[in-house]
Tab-separated table of all heavy atoms in Angstrom:
chain	number	residue	atom	x	y	z
A	7	MET	N	-29.560	-47.427	36.256
A	7	MET	CA	-28.429	-48.262	35.933
A	7	MET	C	-27.224	-47.774	36.561
A	7	MET	O	-26.849	-46.608	36.630
A	7	MET	CB	-28.234	-48.222	34.334
A	7	MET	CG	-27.969	-49.492	33.715
A	7	MET	SD	-28.144	-49.197	31.914
A	7	MET	CE	-27.335	-50.681	31.447
A	8	GLY	N	-26.474	-48.773	37.022
A	8	GLY	CA	-25.215	-48.430	37.790
A	8	GLY	C	-24.003	-48.196	36.817
A	8	GLY	O	-24.097	-48.430	35.613
A	10	VAL	N	-20.006	-48.813	35.567
A	10	VAL	CA	-19.020	-49.866	35.475
A	10	VAL	C	-17.637	-49.328	35.618
A	10	VAL	O	-17.280	-48.349	34.916
A	10	VAL	CB	-19.204	-50.626	34.120
A	10	VAL	CG1	-18.183	-51.748	34.037
A	10	VAL	CG2	-20.585	-51.182	33.955
A	22	ALA	N	-15.417	-47.385	32.971
A	22	ALA	CA	-15.400	-48.120	31.730
A	22	ALA	C	-16.001	-47.279	30.509
A	22	ALA	O	-15.518	-47.357	29.478
A	22	ALA	CB	-16.201	-49.413	31.880
A	23	ASP	N	-16.947	-46.423	30.884
A	23	ASP	CA	-17.598	-45.596	29.751
A	23	ASP	C	-16.684	-44.485	29.337
A	23	ASP	O	-16.904	-43.857	28.318
A	23	ASP	CB	-18.875	-44.970	30.332
A	23	ASP	CG	-18.860	-44.112	31.431
A	23	ASP	OD1	-17.754	-43.946	32.050
A	23	ASP	OD2	-19.826	-43.299	31.695
A	79	LEU	N	-14.321	-56.857	27.019
A	79	LEU	CA	-15.417	-56.268	26.408
A	79	LEU	C	-16.685	-56.949	26.794
A	79	LEU	O	-17.706	-56.320	27.143
A	79	LEU	CB	-15.370	-56.161	24.915
A	79	LEU	CG	-14.315	-55.172	24.369
A	79	LEU	CD1	-14.093	-55.395	22.892
A	79	LEU	CD2	-14.790	-53.807	24.675
A	81	ALA	N	-17.266	-58.925	29.442
A	81	ALA	CA	-17.492	-58.604	30.921
A	81	ALA	C	-18.003	-57.211	31.145
A	81	ALA	O	-18.930	-57.078	32.016
A	81	ALA	CB	-16.078	-58.803	31.687
A	82	MET	N	-17.512	-56.191	30.447
A	82	MET	CA	-18.002	-54.879	30.565
A	82	MET	C	-19.492	-54.830	30.101
A	82	MET	O	-20.276	-54.222	30.801
A	82	MET	CB	-17.220	-53.880	29.749
A	82	MET	CG	-15.777	-53.623	30.367
A	82	MET	SD	-14.590	-52.788	29.321
A	82	MET	CE	-15.490	-51.432	28.651
A	83	ASP	N	-19.838	-55.469	29.045
A	83	ASP	CA	-21.167	-55.500	28.493
A	83	ASP	C	-22.127	-56.130	29.534
A	83	ASP	O	-23.228	-55.638	29.758
A	83	ASP	CB	-21.243	-56.221	27.211
A	83	ASP	CG	-20.780	-55.351	26.034
A	83	ASP	OD1	-20.615	-54.136	26.223
A	83	ASP	OD2	-20.529	-55.875	24.902
A	84	GLU	N	-21.723	-57.258	30.040
A	84	GLU	CA	-22.483	-57.880	31.048
A	84	GLU	C	-22.739	-57.118	32.290
A	84	GLU	O	-23.785	-57.066	32.860
A	84	GLU	CB	-21.930	-59.313	31.399
A	84	GLU	CG	-22.052	-60.238	30.386
A	84	GLU	CD	-21.286	-61.580	30.616
A	84	GLU	OE1	-20.651	-61.777	31.742
A	84	GLU	OE2	-21.413	-62.596	29.827
A	85	ALA	N	-21.613	-56.346	32.724
A	85	ALA	CA	-21.720	-55.480	33.982
A	85	ALA	C	-22.661	-54.396	33.691
A	85	ALA	O	-23.346	-53.927	34.642
A	85	ALA	CB	-20.311	-55.017	34.355
A	86	ARG	N	-22.755	-53.900	32.510
A	86	ARG	CA	-23.641	-52.728	32.224
A	86	ARG	C	-25.114	-53.181	32.380
A	86	ARG	O	-25.917	-52.289	32.549
A	86	ARG	CB	-23.444	-52.233	30.791
A	86	ARG	CG	-22.182	-51.381	30.609
A	86	ARG	CD	-22.108	-50.749	29.334
A	86	ARG	NE	-20.924	-50.121	29.151
A	86	ARG	CZ	-19.738	-50.567	28.457
A	86	ARG	NH1	-19.821	-51.683	27.823
A	86	ARG	NH2	-18.706	-49.844	28.385
A	87	GLU	N	-25.426	-54.397	32.341
A	87	GLU	CA	-26.852	-54.842	32.441
A	87	GLU	C	-27.263	-54.808	33.896
A	87	GLU	O	-28.522	-54.949	34.172
A	87	GLU	CB	-26.944	-56.240	31.884
A	87	GLU	CG	-26.744	-56.317	30.404
A	87	GLU	CD	-26.746	-57.701	29.876
A	87	GLU	OE1	-27.029	-58.661	30.627
A	87	GLU	OE2	-26.428	-57.868	28.613
A	88	ASN	N	-26.347	-54.641	34.923
A	88	ASN	CA	-26.708	-54.587	36.317
A	88	ASN	C	-27.330	-53.243	36.623
A	88	ASN	O	-26.954	-52.213	36.077
A	88	ASN	CB	-25.538	-54.867	37.206
A	88	ASN	CG	-25.153	-56.310	37.138
A	88	ASN	OD1	-25.953	-57.149	37.282
A	88	ASN	ND2	-23.843	-56.568	36.858
A	89	ASP	N	-28.272	-53.206	37.581
A	89	ASP	CA	-28.733	-51.872	38.177
A	89	ASP	C	-27.731	-51.300	39.031
A	89	ASP	O	-27.705	-50.092	39.196
A	89	ASP	CB	-30.017	-52.175	38.776
A	89	ASP	CG	-31.207	-52.568	37.847
A	89	ASP	OD1	-31.105	-52.198	36.675
A	89	ASP	OD2	-32.142	-53.386	38.250
A	92	VAL	N	-20.798	-51.703	39.355
A	92	VAL	CA	-20.018	-52.898	39.361
A	92	VAL	C	-18.555	-52.647	39.079
A	92	VAL	O	-18.249	-51.698	38.271
A	92	VAL	CB	-20.584	-53.877	38.345
A	92	VAL	CG1	-19.762	-55.088	38.109
A	92	VAL	CG2	-21.989	-54.314	38.582
Side-chain angles (χ1 to χ4, degrees):
M7 220 168 167
V10 177
D23 65 345
L79 288 171
M82 290 167 47
D83 284 345
E84 289 175 355
R86 283 187 185 103
E87 295 175 5
N88 287 312
D89 290 332
V92 174

